[in-house]
Amino acid sequence: MKKFLCLVLSLITVVTLISCSKKDEGDIPTGMVIGKQTSSYTLYLPDGWIIQPELNGIVLAYASTADKSSVSFSCVSSQGLGADDYFKSHADEYTSLDSFTLEKDNVRISFGNNDARSYEFTFKNGEDSYRATQTVCVSDGSAYILTWI
């Protein structure tokens, strides 16, 4: 009886210790990393997204050919400007889009531990309508630009 009781208590202890062990929350899911080696940020994407090779300093990923969801990431010189001034200095690139409408302007957010700005806008490409959110973060002389469509 003592051996049986000892065995039961041992099993209870082992099960308790196993159930209380902490999972490693720092594991990076495979196949989800997008970013530039020179950048300070890495973006994780859902499994199955298609990641395009870097082109002209921009890394792009999209959900599928049938789904218009996409995200792009770039890191360029901030030209000594803050996030909002950087966005405004490139405004002509956006306003030239068909039916461009800026819906939210200069929303202050945090990007990592850095101050950043977020902008929401809509535009058309042919018959297709899009809604985009762009985040601009300036850190150490670089502008990090993240765009979700």
Side-chain angles (χ1 to χ4, degrees):
M1 180 70 173
K2 285 184 182 181
K3 287 183 182 180
F4 178 73
L5 186 57
C6 187
L7 178 64
V8 170
L9 288 175
S10 295
L11 285 173
I12 290 172
T13 303
V14 169
V15 169
T16 303
L17 290 174
I18 290 172
S19 65
C20 290
S21 68
K22 185 177 178 182
K23 291 183 180 179
D24 183 8
E25 296 177 16
D27 288 346
I28 298 172
T30 57
M32 295 178 61
V33 179
I34 185 173
K36 294 173 58 176
Q37 291 179 339
T38 58
S39 299
S40 302
Y41 300 99
T42 302
L43 177 64
Y44 299 95
L45 299 169
D47 283 328
W49 274 52
I50 301 159
I51 302 172
Q52 296 294 301
E54 180 181 333
L55 180 64
N56 298 325
I58 299 173
V59 181
L60 173 73
Y62 57 93
S64 71
T65 54
D67 185 338
K68 296 187 281 186
S69 301
S70 69
V71 62
S72 65
F73 174 74
S74 62
C75 176
V76 296
S77 169
S78 67
Q79 303 162 344
L81 301 173
D84 190 48
D85 290 332
Y86 184 86
F87 181 84
K88 288 177 181 173
S89 73
H90 291 81
D92 59 329
E93 297 171 25
Y94 304 104
T95 55
S96 65
L97 295 170
D98 186 25
S99 302
F100 174 83
T101 305
L102 185 61
E103 297 192 355
K104 290 187 181 177
D105 182 20
N106 197 21
V107 177
R108 178 175 278 189
I109 63 169
S110 177
F111 194 82
N113 292 326
N114 294 302
D115 187 41
R117 297 295 187 272
S118 179
Y119 308 86
E120 289 183 26
F121 50 92
T122 58
F123 63 96
K124 285 188 174 185
N125 183 13
E127 295 296 316
D128 295 326
S129 296
Y130 296 90
R131 173 175 293 280
T133 299
Q134 186 166 79
T135 298
V136 179
C137 173
V138 173
S139 176
D140 297 327
S142 294
Y144 298 91
I145 304 159
L146 203 56
T147 307
W148 296 268
I149 297 178

